Amino acid sequence: MRVLVAEDEKGLADIIGAGLRKARMAVDVVYDGDAALERAMTNEYDVIVLDRDLPEIHGDDVCRRLLEAQVPARIIMLTAAGDLWSKVEGLSLGSDDYLAKPFDFPELVARIRALARRVPTRLQPVLRMAGITLDPAHHEVHRNGRYVALSPKEFTVLEVFMRSGGSVVSVEDLLEKAWDENVDYFTNSVRVTVATLRKKLGPPPVIQTVIGAGYRLVDPGHGAPSGSG
């Protein structure tokens, strides 16, 4: 799950971001409406945590523009105003949920997860390739009928491979889709994650290293291209 947090109180924003990462979410954090709008229009998020009182571009205007652009991410608004009228007003702008400050962090996590389940599926719900079945809704992977236990990061990387349909996926693409913006682009975490994923999927190998380009998923039953590793 990828989440955008837009909150002008930097300390609070960073605390929310750190907490959501501990809850195994990929999180980007911005501190004004202009940055929030730019990120939301550029990246694919499942949920956007949007403070109403943002500088540069007001949170209400950010919400309206995202709806006009038909951005599929769900929006939960944060505000210091918790009275009934403020909640009604916030929801009438088109947000999917509304949470008044101060709030209990477990409630925010629960609301984000609930909203993420409502994000419309853009591709087929169950993916199948090379004897692998990946079910995003139930977070399950099977290979030739055998259950494969994967970490959230390994699951996301495999999902990226399967959605690519056998096309080469670069390391940069993996970092963009499976990690958040705080990742060190010189890290070896992609290589380590792919190596662990290969081991868990078992033989024959289905993840091919394309030297100088990245990785791709191949079907060993149809013969892997030369140079696989």
Side-chain angles (χ1 to χ4, degrees), residues 12-33:
L12 176 60
D14 292 342
I15 289 173
I16 293 174
L20 295 181
R21 292 187 187 102
K22 288 183 179 179
R24 297 184 175 182
M25 301 179 194
V27 185
D28 296 339
V29 179
V30 295
Y31 310 108
D32 62 68

Side-chain angles (χ1 to χ4, degrees), residues 60-135:
D60 291 357
D61 293 326
V62 172
C63 184
R64 291 191 189 96
R65 295 191 195 183
L66 293 179
L67 291 174
E68 290 172 358
Q70 298 184 340
V71 171
R74 299 297 184 179
I75 300 172
I76 177 170
M77 276 193 162
L78 300 181
T79 182
D83 60 277
L84 177 60
W85 171 245
S86 295
K87 292 180 180 180
V88 171
E89 186 180 28
L91 292 171
S92 68
L93 292 169
S95 66
D96 300 280
D97 202 354
Y98 190 97
L99 188 59
K101 304 175 188 176
F103 52 83
D104 292 324
F105 192 77
E107 181 180 4
L108 174 63
V109 172
R111 287 176 181 243
I112 289 173
R113 286 178 172 156
L115 287 179
R117 289 193 291 269
R118 293 165 52 189
V119 174
T121 302
R122 292 182 284 273
L123 296 174
Q124 57 180 319
V126 177
L127 305 176
R128 295 181 176 85
M129 184 178 177
I132 300 170
T133 300
L134 183 146
D135 185 346

Side-chain angles (χ1 to χ4, degrees), residues 122-158:
R122 292 182 284 273
L123 296 174
Q124 57 180 319
V126 177
L127 305 176
R128 295 181 176 85
M129 184 178 177
I132 300 170
T133 300
L134 183 146
D135 185 346
H138 298 92
H139 207 273
E140 292 183 351
V141 172
H142 292 81
R143 184 175 186 194
N144 298 325
R146 174 181 63 89
Y147 174 73
V148 183
L150 300 179
S151 70
K153 191 69 66 183
E154 293 159 358
F155 185 94
T156 302
V157 169
L158 179 60

